[in-house]
Amino acid sequence: MNTMNRSLFFGIIVLICFVNFSYAQIKAPAPFGPVPSENQLRWQEMEYYAFVHFSLNTYTDQSWGFGNEDVKLFNPEKADCRQWARICKEAGMKGIIITAKHHCGFCLWPSEYTEYSVKNAPWKNGQGDMVREMADACKEYGLKLGIYLSPWDRNHPDYGKPEYITYFRNQLTELLTNYGPIFEVWFDGANGGSGYYGGANETRTIDRTTYYDWSNTYKLIRKLQPNIVIWNDGGDRGDLRWVGTEEGYVGETNWSLLNATGDVPWNMLHYGVENGDSWVPAEVNTSIRPEWFYHPSEDDKVKTVPHLMETYYNSIGHNGTLLLNFPIMPNGLIHPTDENRTLEFGKAVEESFAVNLAEKSKAEASNVRGNAKQFGAAKAIDDNKETFWATDDNITKASLTINLGKPTMFNRFMAQEYIRLGQRVKTFTVEALVDGNWKEVAKATTIGYKRILRFPSVNATKVRFTITDSKSCPVISNIGVYNAPVFLNAPSIARNQSGDVTITTNDIGPIFYYTLDGNEPTTKSNIFTTPFLADGKVEVKAIAYDPASGKRSPVGQEKFDISKKNWKIVGTNNEKSVAILDGNPSSVWHQRDKKMPVDLVIDLGSLQNLCGFKYLPDQNKWSSGIITNYQFYVSADNIKWKLVDEGEFSNIKNNPVWQIKKFAPEKVRYLKLRALKNTSGDDVAGYAEVDVITN
Ligand code: FUL
């Protein structure tokens, strides 16, 4: 080699070393803190999937069966899991979790280990298997299958004894072996209490931290279904967490982290734990109706599209997944109203996020990891979840500016972290460049897998996303900017004790139109300006209308029963007691000075044909006085009382909705709601509202 060739040779070697060296320097950031497992990642990316609640409760109008309900009731003559799967698929959902066994113990599959199942029901002459039909339908529609198996079993004679755990595991084994891949298993937290228990009819308490021996059950589950995620609110930490409410929202701050041990109070469920040592992301479970099982009285209470959109933003938009429930009707189908709402909701989501305005623009970042293209700002707007914008390791504040090229209207901002490397961002802001000036349009805390922010529409040429604090250098896989259609909320309708009806909304400035004759309101109906008198039995329907956009809301509706004008609460001078009758769910009266059982006596002022009553508990689930067990008496003279109904308000703590109870008609003037027990185990009885049903 001559001198020149030699220097060229060494030059090339040096260059190769340099390139390699600098390339080697620009590695992706190291994972920070706990990271998701492959199963958790796959699950998180599903985002939206369904629950179906179907059991003997469907036939008894109950929320929780006692365990003694007759299996002969189960005869869904039109049962069609393909209908459920079709709706879920068309709505954009990715899977379905079926209540294979709810607390009553009735099994939707012909379990070998109990007689309390479809095999003794008239449906298909005992030859049916609803879990099989669900699995087949999911397969046909390309959906994943999940299983809800209630640990609490109010039918089984051994519940509370060690033998039951064997039974429970046998059932789990059947379900996790015979129906193909299962993406999620769901263990409800309701545990122990009164039940039929094979005829014992007693109360059985268990220690939820030890009774189920979850760690061994988990081993079995993971052996049978290695790709599964476990949801458990009953003891040991599973792969996913409940969010502490069934109303359909998780905290705005939502860390996908918890600690592996220790108590998990409400705030941890709801917000996660910033420095938690385990990855336990949030699943938001809620029903499309107030209750989980089908009740005909809720046919006009199906959530509206704006309500469901709100749920979407508060779940998927808050770094959670959305598990939306369909109560199956006694005939075995999803109600047409629920179907329509779900499909409209699916369309609304699609329309809202159809065009990502960031995608065709240019992005620039204040810092790019090692100045390397592979971690550049463009990677956050390339619609590829595997690439990301990352900064240098020492950076915890950084911004990324998107140039939209021309004034562009938008009202939504979406960000996603590359969670394989952990959840990092603590706070961020979004600014818009309007007429040459930066204007902050939104600010928020955590991001996680996905965060969506809403703000009034702006017409801007640039968007600046600034991470103002992060646990470690930010790693952002996707950013979206959208101009979503705005929906008007269905108005709320309330009536006070004097019979004055008020119509309200959270939206600013719409006109309300209403009807009192059951017809759908139009812009030709009565206009609501001030509260109006509509006493006695009446159905009020109302819409909100925005004259500027010509948009109208879905119909809000309320059915009111007899007038409460002359009602009196007997035996108290407490002024606060009127809260029970004021039509306002947020005002509450507590009786604190008595020992259980605590009576509430109401004088209706005149004889009425009563066939049911309604009780709305305190809407604050941590408040004392939420009644769980009751008796209901009626009287014509406040002397001779007749017991007409007794039982439990089953799921009242987690789902504090109106409790509606019916009984054979009685002509009476006085009613007595006797509280036998409450959720806090003390002597307080609290009431937000009490109402009657007359015929
Ligand atoms: C609750 C249960 O008690 C309800 O009945 C329902 O199944 C819901 C999904 O979970 O805790």
Side-chain angles (χ1 to χ4, degrees), residues 51 53 63-64 99 102-103 148 186 188-190 246 285 292-293 651 654:
F51 234 160
H53 270 65
S63 309
W64 289 355
T99 50
H102 203 254
H103 311 326
Y148 173 119
W186 223 87
D188 200 289
E246 294 178 352
N285 65 312
W292 295 96
F293 282 94
N651 193 23
N654 288 345

Side-chain angles (χ1 to χ4, degrees), residues 299-320:
D299 282 352
D300 59 2
K301 293 273 172 277
V302 182
K303 290 176 183 169
T304 60
V305 172
H307 189 151
L308 292 166
M309 280 308 291
E310 193 64 29
T311 304
Y312 180 89
Y313 287 112
N314 292 334
S315 55
I316 296 173
H318 279 183
N319 184 32

Side-chain angles (χ1 to χ4, degrees), residues 26 368-377:
I26 312 163
V368 169
R369 191 168 186 81
N371 284 321
K373 212 170 159 197
Q374 88 220 60
F375 301 121

Side-chain angles (χ1 to χ4, degrees), residues 146-261:
I147 298 286
Y148 173 119
L149 184 72
S150 171
W152 183 26
D153 187 321
R154 296 175 107 178
N155 174 267
H156 203 272
D158 289 339
Y159 184 80
K161 302 182 194 149
E163 290 83 344
Y164 174 76
I165 303 308
T166 309
Y167 172 74
F168 183 63
R169 288 188 184 146
N170 284 339
Q171 293 204 316
L172 251 182
T173 306
E174 288 182 316
L175 291 165
L176 301 185
T177 311
N178 299 331
Y179 299 95
I182 306 295
F183 82 96
E184 177 169 344
V185 67
W186 223 87
F187 298 126
D188 200 289
N191 270 302
S194 63
Y196 173 71
Y197 303 128
N201 286 313
E202 59 189 13
T203 296
R204 294 186 181 172
T205 41
I206 52 112
D207 178 350
R208 62 188 239 146
T209 57
T210 54
Y211 178 58
Y212 297 106
D213 178 21
W214 285 118
S215 60
N216 282 313
T217 304
Y218 287 4
K219 278 187 201 141
L220 172 74
I221 296 170
R222 297 200 199 281
K223 193 177 96 206
L224 297 173
Q225 294 279 344
N227 295 329
I228 208 164
V229 282
I230 301 171
W231 187 99
N232 193 347
D233 181 45
D236 278 30
R237 215 74 85 239
D239 299 313
L240 318 174
R241 69 174 210 270
W242 185 43
V243 296
T245 169
E246 294 178 352
E247 272 170 65
Y249 63 98
V250 61
E252 280 188 45
T253 296
N254 178 12
W255 293 100
S256 290
L257 307 175
L258 280 186
N259 285 321
T261 52

Side-chain angles (χ1 to χ4, degrees), residues 384-611:
N384 178 347
K385 64 183 170 56
E386 298 310 329
T387 62
F388 47 83
W389 162 54
T391 69
D392 290 320
D393 276 339
N394 55 344
I395 301 286
T396 51
K397 291 184 178 57
S399 62
L400 186 146
T401 308
I402 296 162
N403 190 344
L404 301 168
K406 58 175 191 307
T408 309
M409 287 290 268
F410 61 91
N411 56 13
R412 302 286 182 269
F413 180 86
M414 186 275 297
Q416 295 189 277
E417 286 184 81
Y418 186 72
I419 54 170
R420 274 180 193 278
L421 298 179
Q423 188 181 355
R424 299 156 177 253
V425 175
K426 289 166 80 165
T427 51
F428 69 100
T429 62
V430 179
E431 294 159 289
L433 189 68
V434 183
D435 299 331
N437 300 313
W438 283 109
K439 176 181 164 200
E440 184 175 291
V441 290
K443 67 174 176 200
T445 53
T446 51
I447 296 178
Y449 173 71
K450 188 178 264 190
R451 183 69 204 263
I452 308 172
L453 304 184
R454 291 178 281 175
F455 40 87
S457 290
V458 279
N459 196 17
T461 46
K462 289 185 180 177
V463 190
R464 185 158 67 194
F465 163 52
T466 302
I467 292 157
T468 42
D469 196 6
S470 181
K471 284 177 169 183
S472 181
C473 66
V475 184
I476 303 296
S477 74
N478 267 313
I479 285 175
V481 175
Y482 308 90
N483 196 31
V486 175
F487 300 95
L488 290 181
N489 292 300
S492 308
I493 302 162
R495 184 172 84 174
N496 67 13
Q497 197 186 346
S498 321
D500 298 323
V501 172
T502 309
I503 302 174
T504 51
T505 180
N506 290 334
D507 300 318
I508 300 163
I511 301 174
F512 298 116
Y513 294 93
Y514 70 91
T515 61
L516 300 176
D517 56 8
N519 286 324
E520 297 276 296
T522 67
T523 47
K524 296 206 170 68
S525 307
N526 297 321
I527 296 188
F528 170 82
T529 43
T530 47
F532 59 89
L533 190 69
D535 222 359
K537 280 194 167 192
V538 63
E539 180 170 20
V540 184
K541 289 188 175 175
I543 54 165
Y545 172 77
D546 173 29
S549 62
K551 286 191 176 176
R552 67 180 66 190
S553 74
V555 178
Q557 52 193 23
E558 275 315 322
K559 278 194 191 120
F560 298 105
D561 212 289
I562 53 169
S563 166
K564 293 183 187 168
K565 209 184 301 176
N566 299 321
W567 291 18
K568 282 198 183 64
I569 302 192
V570 180
T572 178
N573 300 322
N574 193 319
E575 281 168 15
K576 286 194 182 146
S577 65
V578 292
I580 298 182
L581 309 176
D582 66 0
N584 176 3
S586 36
S587 66
V588 188
W589 183 51
H590 289 101
Q591 299 205 68
R592 298 184 187 277
D593 49 355
K594 300 188 177 144
K595 286 258 168 278
M596 286 286 179
V598 177
D599 289 345
L600 169 75
V601 178
I602 299 178
D603 175 2
L604 306 176
S606 58
L607 285 174
Q608 301 290 344
N609 260 319
L610 242 56
C611 61

